[in-house]
Amino acid sequence: MICLFLNHNVKIIHIRHLIYHTFDFVYEASKLKINIILSFHDFYFTCPTIHLIDDKGIYCKGKCSNSKRECPQPFNFSKRIKKLKNKWINKWREEVKNIFCLIDTFITTSEYTKNRYLQLFDVLQNKEFFIVQHGRDFNCKPLQTS
């Protein structure tokens, strides 16, 4: 991976998502002092279930309920995780926190999502963080076809 970064003279990396990926390249890019931007467009880094719905079907805001029942995992990438609540999720968030320390800039689509992440990950408090809402309003001329 380092060869890829060096051979292509990579100066910046924008991570849109890491589903089905390891965090390795964040560590490798950081070693090479490559600027890293991470976009949050869901709650994957809070909990791999993404939706933050608990075992009762209630929005949990990323805080596990005391129930021993597991939360629904509607996506294949998280179904293999057994006993996700409380113990496993704490290990996950520790790993996420470690990569967040290496990332330079964060982007999300709403103030709410930004605040969710700030409340769960104290390492984000002094990081550059932008909100870029969904949707675009470009003043572009239509393409001319002949």
Side-chain angles (χ1 to χ4, degrees), residues 14-15 25 28 42 45-46 50 72-73 75-76 89-90 93 101-102 116 118 123 128 130-131 134 137 139 144-145:
H14 180 191
I15 302 167
F25 81 92
E28 299 302 324
D42 56 36
F45 293 104
T46 300
I50 294 179
Q73 297 184 42
F75 304 104
N76 287 335
I89 196 69
N90 293 332
R93 288 185 183 157
C101 290
L102 303 175
R116 276 286 107 230
L118 288 173
V123 298
E128 190 170 47
F130 294 96
I131 296 173
H134 282 300
D137 188 16
N139 292 324
Q144 298 296 324
T145 58

Side-chain angles (χ1 to χ4, degrees), residues 52-143:
L52 304 184
I53 302 296
D54 72 8
D55 59 303
K56 295 176 186 135
I58 298 170
Y59 179 64
C60 69
K61 297 183 181 179
K63 296 181 181 178
C64 293
S65 63
N66 292 330
S67 165
K68 293 188 190 265
R69 292 178 29 210
E70 286 297 311
C71 302
Q73 297 184 42
F75 304 104
N76 287 335
F77 58 83
S78 67
K79 284 184 179 177
R80 61 182 161 70
I81 303 167
K82 303 299 178 207
K83 300 188 180 197
L84 183 141
K85 278 177 65 173
N86 299 310
K87 189 176 181 181
W88 189 93
I89 196 69
N90 293 332
K91 290 178 184 178
W92 169 257
R93 288 185 183 157
E94 191 63 33
E95 290 296 319
V96 167
K97 185 177 99 173
N98 290 339
I99 67 162
F100 282 0
C101 290
L102 303 175
I103 295 171
D104 302 291
T105 305
F106 296 85
I107 299 172
T108 192
T109 57
S110 71
E111 192 73 37
Y112 181 84
T113 304
K114 175 184 175 182
N115 289 334
R116 276 286 107 230
Y117 275 99
L118 288 173
Q119 288 175 357
L120 289 170
F121 296 99
D122 60 341
V123 298
L124 296 176
Q125 295 299 324
N126 296 317
K127 294 285 190 168
E128 190 170 47
F129 213 128
F130 294 96
I131 296 173
V132 179
Q133 295 178 351
H134 282 300
R136 309 291 189 281
D137 188 16
F138 296 113
N139 292 324
C140 298
K141 294 180 183 178
L143 292 174

Side-chain angles (χ1 to χ4, degrees), residues 1-2 5 10 13 24-36 102:
M1 192 170 314
I2 289 179
F5 295 150
V10 174
I13 294 173
D24 294 353
F25 81 92
V26 174
Y27 291 106
E28 299 302 324
S30 178
K31 287 178 194 173
L32 295 171
K33 307 281 189 244
I34 295 172
N35 288 323
I36 305 169
L102 303 175

